């Protein structure tokens, strides 16, 4: 029999988990009052990782409770299939009322032509080196404008309306999911939120001492619409921080509603994000890497019977949410899941079964190859198929600019051995490559028949969101690279 407690699960998009007042970030001490009060009423997890630094793979992993290489959510087009069991299905079967609002983004078949094609063609684009993405300069709206991200605010309003008008009359517990799209770029905010950021705490990230080939590729496929000056870097960062403050304001509205309706004592509240955003660390925007700003996410859980005002330092990841939901709801779960319930940590108990590592992987757009990350203790190991690995000591080097893979060969071997015990990453890489070729072949044949193949390829490989004047033609030489990759020359 399930519990009688409700769930409010809020997942935003692209939030670096280090950027909250409760995480002691120097720029954010007055920017996230609502997340900070949620942390005071519950448990703040400080070391939380996405299982993939991209929307669909990360969310597919959360919904299915399986690592990306098991649920085959390879990119923003290839997520879960409709019949895949999810935690929502288990809750519904146990009698929960399910209400889903906002961005979910875990199923196959969505996103732009650019998202799918640029992921499929990562191998030939290492030869072409044509851009596939573009990012605009930050935009600041003057005045005390609260509702910058209007679509998100409409979902927040609908969530509050549902709580007030529907939830109070239910005779069964509910799961309200709210998917907030901010602080996903474009980088847009208003003076209302910008003034909440402590300018003195907005640090300029140090430059990498050596740029890895995969990161060099990532930089090459992005068109950045602003000069890389200290002023512009700081403005991007401050704008992004302010966008997080707007997310905090949205969360506060939901918390206030739960308190007003006296639901707060009967409801588990979970706040997290699907992945992070570089915000100019390593000279990058958006996600797509295993650096901390890209793969580190927030996680706060509060609710009846849980500890309050507690900070957990243990390494956890989003794969742990599914079994946690089942435990909190007191629902037996017969599915074989990859994560471990957080309930022992939420209640201050030891969990002997929990591994002392977390794992993430990436196969999507803007990547030169498949990437696998292992964090254990202070050490982060990143394996790039066909490229050198990276090794960082996050205690000594939180900015990740000192790659120790050449100096710490024993640690590299130790971490790589552990990684290979978790996943046969060469086998996974080959599976992704086979999928990429077959998916692209089908897409290419379809658009050859429609007569818009060359037009789409030209736009995709000019940065996609660019003006017609900026689109560079798709040439015979470009197509030759594609055909050689497909073994069709």
């Amino acid at each position: 029999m399930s519990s009688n407690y409700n769930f409010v699960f809020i997942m935003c998009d692209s939030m670096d988990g280090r950027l909250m007042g409760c995480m002691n970030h120097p720029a954010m001490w007055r920017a996230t009052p609502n997340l900070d009060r949620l942390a005071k009423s519950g448990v703040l997890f400080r070391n939380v990782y996405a299982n993939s630094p991209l929307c669909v793979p990360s969310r597919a992993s959360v919904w299915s409770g399986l690592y990306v290489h098991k649920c085959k959510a390879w990119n923003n087009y290839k997520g879960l299939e409709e019949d895949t069991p999810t935690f929502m299905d288990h809750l519904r079967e146990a009698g929960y009322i399910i209400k889903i609002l906002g961005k979910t983004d875990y199923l196959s078949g969505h996103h732009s032509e650019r998202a799918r094609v640029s992921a499929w063609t990562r191998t030939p684009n290492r030869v072409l080196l044509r851009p596939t993405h573009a990012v605009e300069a930050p935009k600041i709206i003057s005045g005390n404008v609260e509702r910058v991200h209007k679509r998100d605010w409409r979902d927040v309003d609908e969530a509050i309306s549902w709580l007030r008008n529907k939830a109070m009359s239910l005779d069964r517990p509910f799961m309200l999911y709210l998917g907030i799209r901010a602080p996903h770029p474009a980088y847009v905010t208003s003076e209302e939120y910008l003034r909440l950021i402590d300018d003195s705490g907005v640090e300029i990230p140090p430059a990498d001492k050596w740029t890895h080939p995969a990161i060099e590729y990532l930089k090459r496929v992005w068109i950045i619409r602003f000069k890389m000056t200290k002023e512009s870097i700081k403005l991007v960062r401050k704008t992004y921080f302010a966008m997080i403050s707007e997310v905090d304001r949205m969360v506060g509205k939901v918390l206030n509603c739960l308190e007003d309706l006296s639901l707060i004592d009967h409801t588990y509240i979970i706040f997290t994000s699907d992945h992070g955003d570089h915000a100019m660390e390593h000279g990058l925007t958006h996600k797509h890497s295993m650096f901390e700003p890209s793969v580190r996410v927030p996680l706060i859980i509060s609710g009846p019977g849980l500890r309050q005002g507690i900070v957990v330092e243990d390494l956890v990841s989003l794969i742990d949410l599914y079994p946690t939901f089942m435990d909190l709801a007191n629902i037996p779960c017969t599915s074989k899941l990859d994560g471990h319930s957080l309930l022992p940590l939420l209640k201050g108990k030891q969990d002997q079964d929990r591994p002392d590592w977390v794992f993430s992987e990436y196969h999507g757009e803007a990547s030169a190859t498949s990437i696998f990350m292992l964090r254990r203790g202070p050490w982060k190991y990143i394996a790039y198929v066909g490229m050198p690995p990276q090794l960082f000591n996050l205690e000594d080097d939180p900015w990740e600019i000192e790659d120790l893979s050449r100096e710490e060969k024993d640690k590299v071997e130790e971490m790589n051995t552990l990684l290979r015990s978790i996943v046969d990453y060469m086998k996974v890489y080959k599976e992704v490559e086979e999928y990429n070729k077959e998916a692209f072949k089908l897409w290419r044949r379809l658009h050859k028949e429609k007569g818009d193949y060359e037009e789409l390829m030209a736009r995709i490989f000019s940065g996609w969101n660019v003006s017609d004047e900026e689109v560079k033609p798709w040439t015979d030489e470009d197509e030759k690279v594609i055909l050689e990759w497909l073994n069709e020359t």
Side-chain angles (χ1 to χ4, degrees):
M1 182 177 179
S2 66
S3 74
N4 291 318
Y5 295 122
N6 308 305
F7 289 91
V8 172
F9 179 24
I10 304 174
M11 175 176 271
C12 66
D13 192 332
S14 304
M15 180 175 165
D16 181 339
R18 304 168 300 171
L19 302 180
M20 296 182 285
C22 55
M23 290 291 287
N24 301 316
H25 192 280
M28 304 297 285
W29 60 271
R30 62 172 177 261
T32 57
N34 298 295
L35 293 172
D36 297 347
R37 71 168 158 133
L38 183 61
K40 286 181 181 178
S41 69
V43 179
L44 169 68
F45 292 84
R46 286 185 59 88
N47 293 289
V48 190
Y49 288 82
N51 299 108
S52 187
L54 189 66
C55 301
V56 171
S58 175
R59 292 162 183 266
S61 193
V62 170
W63 255 253
S64 68
L66 300 174
Y67 285 127
V68 167
H69 64 275
K70 293 186 180 180
C71 67
K72 317 297 184 187
W74 302 129
N75 53 54
N76 266 347
Y77 181 70
K78 177 63 180 72
L80 299 185
E81 303 311 315
E82 291 278 359
D83 59 351
T84 305
T86 70
F87 73 87
M88 289 292 193
D89 295 326
H90 270 96
L91 289 171
R92 187 180 289 108
E93 290 164 4
Y96 273 76
I97 300 295
I98 305 297
K99 181 65 175 178
I100 298 177
L101 295 168
K103 182 175 181 177
T104 54
D105 211 20
Y106 64 93
L107 293 173
S108 290
H110 303 285
H111 281 267
S112 67
E113 303 283 0
R114 186 274 309 278
R116 63 194 75 171
V117 173
S118 63
W120 296 333
T121 56
R122 64 183 185 182
T123 296
N125 202 36
R126 284 169 63 175
V127 178
L128 295 168
L129 280 178
R130 290 187 54 154
T132 53
H133 296 65
V135 59
E136 302 296 331
K139 179 182 177 183
I140 311 300
I141 299 170
S142 61
N144 297 327
V145 178
E146 180 181 55
R147 298 190 168 217
V148 178
H149 292 84
K150 293 182 173 60
R151 192 176 177 191
D152 285 333
W153 279 106
R154 286 195 293 271
D155 292 328
V156 170
D157 289 343
E158 188 173 349
I160 290 171
S161 176
W162 185 83
L163 287 169
R164 292 190 182 281
N165 299 316
K166 298 290 185 181
M168 294 299 291
S169 61
L170 297 175
D171 58 358
R172 290 181 284 158
F174 64 81
M175 158 62 88
L176 169 62
Y177 168 85
L178 176 60
I180 298 173
R181 297 163 188 83
H184 191 293
Y187 300 111
V188 181
T189 192
S190 69
E191 292 175 344
E192 169 76 9
Y193 299 106
L194 207 62
R195 63 181 174 79
L196 297 175
I197 309 304
D198 188 333
D199 188 75
S200 65
V202 184
E203 300 170 284
I204 302 296
D208 292 345
K209 294 187 177 180
W210 174 71
T211 302
H212 190 278
I215 304 305
E216 185 61 41
Y217 173 88
L218 177 52
K219 291 181 177 182
R220 289 286 295 271
V221 300
W222 274 90
I223 299 171
I224 295 182
R225 303 284 202 183
F226 49 87
K227 294 181 179 179
M228 299 285 275
T229 63
K230 286 186 176 181
E231 292 75 20
S232 64
I233 289 170
K234 188 166 186 176
L235 182 59
V236 170
R237 291 176 63 72
K238 193 172 180 180
T239 302
Y240 174 65
F241 295 175
M243 292 165 69
I244 291 172
S245 188
E246 185 175 1
V247 170
D248 177 87
R249 187 80 60 89
M250 297 176 196
V251 172
K253 301 289 187 184
V254 177
L255 295 181
N256 291 343
C257 178
L258 291 170
E259 290 172 351
D260 292 345
L261 299 174
S262 299
L263 286 170
I264 200 83
D265 294 332
H266 306 280
T267 303
Y268 293 113
I269 303 167
I270 301 92
F271 174 80
T272 190
S273 180
D274 54 356
H275 51 76
D277 187 291
H278 289 103
M280 301 313 302
E281 289 190 41
H282 307 280
L284 299 167
T285 65
H286 293 67
K287 54 273 186 178
H288 312 301
S289 88
M290 292 298 174
F291 289 130
E292 290 289 281
S294 173
V295 76
R296 188 96 165 258
V297 295
L299 180 60
I300 306 171
I301 302 178
S302 75
L306 307 183
R307 296 189 294 169
Q308 296 186 358
I310 298 300
V311 175
V312 172
E313 299 287 349
D314 299 57
L315 293 169
V316 304
S317 70
L318 296 183
I319 201 79
D320 298 325
L321 288 178
Y322 192 145
T324 303
F325 290 139
M326 297 301 101
D327 270 0
L328 290 174
N330 194 29
I331 299 172
C333 185
T334 56
S335 301
K336 184 171 176 55
L337 305 177
D338 287 325
H340 293 260
S341 173
L342 298 169
L343 188 58
L345 297 177
L346 289 167
K347 294 202 168 187
K349 298 178 181 179
Q350 293 293 319
D351 184 357
Q352 301 299 329
D353 295 328
R354 172 169 290 281
D356 63 351
W357 48 262
V358 290
F359 163 73
S360 187
E361 60 190 294
Y362 187 66
H363 313 281
E365 61 196 67
S367 67
T369 186
S370 289
I371 311 170
F372 301 84
M373 184 278 287
L374 182 67
R375 168 87 193 269
R376 190 185 203 185
W379 295 99
K380 178 192 278 190
Y381 176 70
I382 308 173
Y384 302 86
V385 175
M387 295 181 175
Q390 287 183 303
L391 180 72
F392 301 101
N393 185 316
L394 297 180
E395 285 183 2
D396 299 336
D397 177 28
W399 290 105
E400 298 170 285
I401 62 171
E402 192 82 51
D403 180 3
L404 300 175
S405 58
R406 298 174 191 82
E407 293 88 343
E408 298 280 354
K409 295 190 180 299
D410 289 346
K411 180 58 71 173
V412 166
E413 183 177 352
E414 173 193 323
M415 296 290 279
N416 191 56
T417 299
L418 177 57
L419 178 61
R420 286 183 177 275
S421 74
I422 299 165
V423 59
D424 184 342
Y425 60 75
M426 286 303 300
K427 180 180 178 182
V428 172
Y429 167 76
K430 290 175 182 177
E431 183 178 356
V432 176
E433 283 296 286
E434 182 178 346
Y435 155 79
N436 285 342
K437 280 189 179 182
E438 292 307 310
F440 180 77
K441 281 181 181 179
L442 289 174
W443 181 89
R444 180 177 179 273
R445 187 180 308 126
L446 171 66
H447 288 282
K448 279 283 190 179
E449 291 171 358
K450 290 177 66 174
D452 61 355
Y453 170 76
E454 285 79 10
E455 177 186 345
L456 280 171
M457 291 294 278
R459 183 163 288 278
I460 290 166
F461 289 96
S462 296
W464 187 247
N465 295 319
V466 296
S467 66
D468 291 343
E469 292 75 21
E470 294 174 289
V471 175
K472 295 182 180 178
W474 186 251
T475 68
D476 291 342
E477 287 300 309
D478 294 330
E479 186 65 10
K480 182 180 178 182
V481 173
I482 295 291
L483 292 174
E484 286 175 352
W485 168 60
L486 296 175
N487 298 317
E488 293 186 1
T489 53

